[in-house]
């Protein structure tokens, strides 16, 4: 079956294949381009262009509720990233360098967490917090984000460890360095691009998450994605376009920075 599909694709001209791919990407990203375009519209209409203006970005900056939601997202993102990066890096070291009972199960759990539907994670965490009578708020959001971003950090750092030359660590220990000194002065600097890439990925996932946050957030702990959702329920406003454009730009910056750091580490 795979050979038949491969032969079928090989018969398609390269130009036709490129055109098909271009149409697919156009279908996916054209609505986003329209959203960004109308964020600079002078009028309130999100369909008729009235002229270029930064009016709605000014309105966005004067909206206190949006700024509070942005501040909450930063608190959650930075805190969850710091915790998941430390735990994920240590988990990657354990899985890459040591053999222990249950290692295959731990591997499966790490990879399963990256493909598990977010709604399942959100509902299960909500049930857990309710069962232990833990008040919903920023703390529960941080715990939830740490739970689902650790696996991504672990996978990225482990990929970096797999390409690392262990003879450098062995040489450091032969010269008298203890395991902690070897890790801090040799291992960590060598895997730092992978650690930074994992941290940036974790921050992006945490900052943009909506589904899990929706289930585990409480009163007064609305993050930016939740705020955008609540604004959309009352009608599409150019302020939403401006806010979405800011979030999109920030996300792209972090993704590109993480990819650049990771590629440099691979080189």
């Amino acid at each position: 079956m795979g050979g038949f599909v491969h032969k079928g694709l090989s018969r398609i001209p390269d130009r036709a294949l490129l055109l098909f791919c271009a149409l697919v990407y156009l279908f996916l990203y054209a609505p986003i381009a329209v959203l960004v375009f109308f964020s600079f519209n002078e009028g309130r209409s999100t369909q008729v262009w009235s002229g270029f203006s930064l009016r709605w970005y000014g309105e966005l900056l004067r909206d206190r509720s949006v700024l509070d939601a942005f501040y909450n997202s930063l608190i959650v993102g930075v805190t969850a990233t710091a915790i998941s990066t430390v735990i994920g890096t240590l988990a990657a070291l354990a899985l890459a360098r040591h053999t222990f009972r249950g290692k295959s199960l731990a591997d499966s759990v790490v990879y399963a967490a990256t493909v598990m539907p977010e709604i399942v994670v959100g509902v299960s965490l909500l049930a857990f917090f309710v069962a232990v009578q833990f008040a919903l708020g920023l703390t529960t959001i941080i715990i939830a984000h740490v739970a689902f971003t650790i696996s991504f950090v672990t996978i990225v750092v482990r990929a970096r460890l797999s390409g690392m030359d262990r003879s450098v660590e062995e040489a450091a220990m032969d010269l008298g360095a203890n395991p902690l000194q070897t890790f801090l002065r040799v291992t960590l600097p060598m895997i730092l691009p992978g650690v930074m890439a994992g941290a940036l990925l974790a921050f992006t996932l945490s900052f943009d998450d909506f589904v899990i946050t929706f289930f585990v957030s409480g009163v007064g702990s609305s993050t930016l994605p939740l705020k955008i959702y609540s604004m959309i329920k009352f009608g599409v406003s150019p302020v939403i376009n401006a806010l979405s454009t800011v979030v999109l730009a920030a996300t792209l910056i972090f993704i590109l920075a993480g990819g650049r750091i990771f590629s440099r580490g691979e080189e």
Side-chain angles (χ1 to χ4, degrees):
M1 183 66 181
F4 176 77
V5 173
H6 177 72
K7 290 179 181 179
L9 290 176
S10 63
R11 296 175 182 174
I12 301 177
D14 291 341
R15 291 184 178 179
L17 189 60
L18 289 174
L19 179 61
F20 174 75
C21 293
L23 291 175
V24 171
Y25 279 107
L26 180 64
F27 174 78
L28 292 175
Y29 293 109
I32 299 178
V34 172
L35 181 146
V36 174
F37 179 76
F38 277 100
S39 70
F40 298 100
N41 191 17
E42 171 66 26
R44 295 190 61 88
S45 175
T46 57
Q47 299 178 351
V48 180
W49 179 255
S50 304
F52 180 85
S53 175
L54 298 176
R55 169 189 174 186
W56 303 110
Y57 288 89
E59 294 288 339
L60 175 63
L61 293 176
R62 288 189 289 270
D63 194 327
R64 186 62 192 176
S65 62
V66 172
L67 295 179
D68 289 340
F70 178 74
Y71 181 66
N72 288 340
S73 291
L74 284 180
I75 293 177
V76 171
V78 172
T79 306
T81 298
I83 298 174
S84 62
T85 300
V86 173
I87 300 177
T89 301
L90 296 178
L93 285 168
L95 293 172
R97 298 295 176 78
H98 302 283
T99 302
F100 52 89
R101 182 178 298 178
K103 181 179 178 180
S104 59
L105 177 61
D107 276 330
S108 300
V109 170
V110 169
Y111 286 101
T114 61
V115 297
M116 187 176 300
E118 289 191 2
I119 190 170
V120 175
V121 178
V123 171
S124 61
L125 287 172
L126 175 61
F128 170 76
F129 291 136
V130 171
V132 298
Q133 297 182 350
F134 201 105
L136 300 180
L138 288 180
T139 302
T140 54
I141 298 176
I142 292 172
I143 294 173
H145 286 199
V146 170
F148 85 92
T149 55
I150 285 177
S151 297
F152 293 94
V153 177
T154 302
I155 292 173
V156 173
V157 176
R158 191 176 180 183
R160 176 59 183 161
L161 283 168
S162 64
M164 179 179 169
D165 187 3
R166 294 201 63 182
S167 62
V168 180
E169 296 174 306
E170 295 172 355
M173 288 187 284
D174 289 340
L175 293 174
N178 59 40
L180 180 59
Q181 291 174 328
T182 301
F183 173 74
L184 294 177
R185 298 185 180 182
V186 178
T187 307
L188 185 58
M190 294 183 69
I191 67 172
L192 189 59
V195 174
M196 293 299 297
L200 287 172
L201 178 60
F203 181 83
T204 302
L205 292 171
S206 175
F207 189 84
D208 288 349
D209 182 75
F210 170 78
V211 177
I212 296 177
T213 307
F214 179 81
F215 284 98
V216 299
S217 62
V219 179
S221 60
S222 177
T223 59
L224 201 55
L226 296 181
K227 180 61 180 178
I228 294 175
Y229 176 73
S230 65
M231 293 171 68
I232 291 176
K233 289 192 298 183
F234 295 102
V236 179
S237 168
V239 175
I240 298 176
N241 291 355
L243 179 57
S244 301
T245 301
V246 172
V247 174
L248 175 64
T251 302
L252 289 177
I253 290 173
F254 280 110
I255 291 176
L256 292 175
R260 193 173 184 85
I261 292 173
F262 186 71
S263 62
R264 285 183 177 179
E266 290 297 319
E267 293 174 359

